[in-house]
């Protein structure tokens, strides 16, 4: 169980890198505006989903330690 949680944590953390890369790419795009907004919205959604997944794993790990 612990190895599965560690692996899940590693995968979710690794997926955060491309999400933040989308934010950086969107920062360099000036035109078209719709593309910039789409990338920022997509990155925000991905970061939130991955963040909540990491929080769920952390809470589960803390609950198992008690």
């Amino acid at each position: 169980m612990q190895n599965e949680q560690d692996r899940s944590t590693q995968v979710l953390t690794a997926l955060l890198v491309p999400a933040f890369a989308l934010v950086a790419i969107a920062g360099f795009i000036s035109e078209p505006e719709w593309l910039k907004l789409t990338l920022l919205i997509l990155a925000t959604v991905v970061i939130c989903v991955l963040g909540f997944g990491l929080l769920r794993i952390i809470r589960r790990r803390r609950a198992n330690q008690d």
Side-chain angles (χ1 to χ4, degrees):
M1 182 77 169
Q2 185 69 23
N3 287 339
E4 181 182 324
Q5 287 179 347
D6 288 341
R7 185 147 182 91
S8 297
T9 303
Q10 290 171 353
V11 169
L12 290 175
T13 304
L15 289 174
L16 280 172
V17 174
F20 283 111
L22 283 176
V23 173
I25 291 169
F28 288 110
I29 295 174
S30 57
E31 292 293 329
E33 192 69 28
W34 64 267
L35 180 60
K36 182 176 188 168
L37 289 174
T38 302
L39 288 175
L40 286 173
I41 291 169
L42 179 64
T44 303
V45 169
V46 169
I47 290 169
C48 288
V49 168
L50 294 174
F52 284 125
L54 285 169
L55 285 174
R56 193 182 76 225
I57 291 172
I58 291 169
R59 286 183 187 147
R60 190 179 312 147
R61 186 177 293 167
R62 286 184 182 166
N64 288 341
Q65 287 177 351
D66 294 339

